[in-house]
Amino acid sequence: MSEMKTHNFTIGTKLLGSFVSMFGLVLALVAIYIGSARQSARRLDDVLRVYNKKLEIGSQVELYTTEMQGSQRGVMLSYAMRDPAASAQYKKLYADSGKRIDDLLGELRPLLTTENERKAMAQIEENRRIWRPRFEKLLQLCESGDIA
C-alpha cells in the first residue's frame, strides 16, 4: 500500500491562508474597480469634450448669424445713404460670416450622434440654403434703388 502523507494544518495556519486568500481577492476587486473607474472617467471626459465642442460651435454659428443679419441691415442703410464703400464692407462681412458658418457646420457634422441633432443640422442647412437667394434679391433691390 502506498503511504499517503497527510498534512495537519493548525487553526492558525488555516486562518492565515484564508486571510491571504481574502486579501488577494480584495486586492483583485480593488484593481478591477480602479480600472473601471478610470475607464469611466475617460469616457466621461470624451463625452464632455464633444458636448463642449458642440456648444462652442453652436455659439459661433449664432454669432456669425447675427453678423449676417446686421450685414443685411447695413447693406440697406449704406445704399440708402449712397455709400458704396460701406455697402462693399457689409457685403464682404455677410459673405465672410456665411463662409465661417459653413466651415463650422462642416466641423459639427461628424460630432452629431442623435437623430434630433441631425434634424437640427438639416434645418440649419435648409435655412442657409433659403437665406442666400433672399440676400441676393435684397442686393438687387438695393442696387436698383428700391430700398423699401
Side-chain angles (χ1 to χ4, degrees):
M1 227 190 243
S2 67
E3 222 174 277
M4 193 163 143
K5 273 189 165 177
T6 59
H7 295 281
N8 292 332
F9 293 111
T10 65
I11 295 286
T13 305
K14 290 178 183 178
L15 283 174
L16 180 63
S18 295
F19 174 75
V20 168
S21 297
M22 291 302 288
F23 186 71
L25 180 62
V26 168
L27 281 179
L29 290 173
V30 167
I32 290 170
Y33 172 77
I34 289 172
S36 177
R38 285 182 179 163
Q39 186 177 18
S40 294
R42 280 191 297 271
R43 285 187 195 149
L44 181 60
D45 285 346
D46 290 343
V47 167
L48 290 177
R49 190 176 3 268
V50 170
Y51 180 76
N52 286 336
K53 184 67 176 172
K54 289 177 191 179
L55 285 177
E56 177 187 340
I57 290 172
S59 295
Q60 290 176 346
V61 167
E62 185 175 8
L63 169 71
Y64 293 126
T65 299
T66 301
E67 280 186 4
M68 289 176 76
Q69 292 168 337
S71 298
Q72 286 179 319
R73 290 184 200 101
V75 164
M76 291 187 321
L77 288 172
S78 62
Y79 272 100
M81 296 177 67
R82 301 185 200 295
D83 186 348
S87 296
Q89 285 179 326
Y90 285 118
K91 287 180 199 175
K92 181 174 178 358
L93 179 59
Y94 181 91
D96 290 348
S97 297
K99 170 77 172 98
R100 289 183 191 125
I101 289 173
D102 292 340
D103 292 345
L104 288 165
L105 294 179
E107 272 184 61
L108 182 60
R109 194 170 289 107
L111 302 176
L112 304 179
T113 56
T114 68
E115 188 59 33
N116 284 342
E117 289 175 337
R118 287 188 274 281
K119 284 179 182 178
M121 172 66 91
Q123 184 62 53
I124 292 169
E125 289 172 332
E126 177 65 12
N127 291 343
R128 289 277 300 130
R129 188 187 65 72
I130 291 169
W131 203 350
R132 286 180 183 120
R134 289 181 180 171
F135 183 70
E136 293 300 322
K137 181 66 175 174
L138 173 75
L139 287 177
Q140 289 172 357
L141 292 170
C142 287
E143 289 169 359
S144 71
D146 186 3
I147 305 301

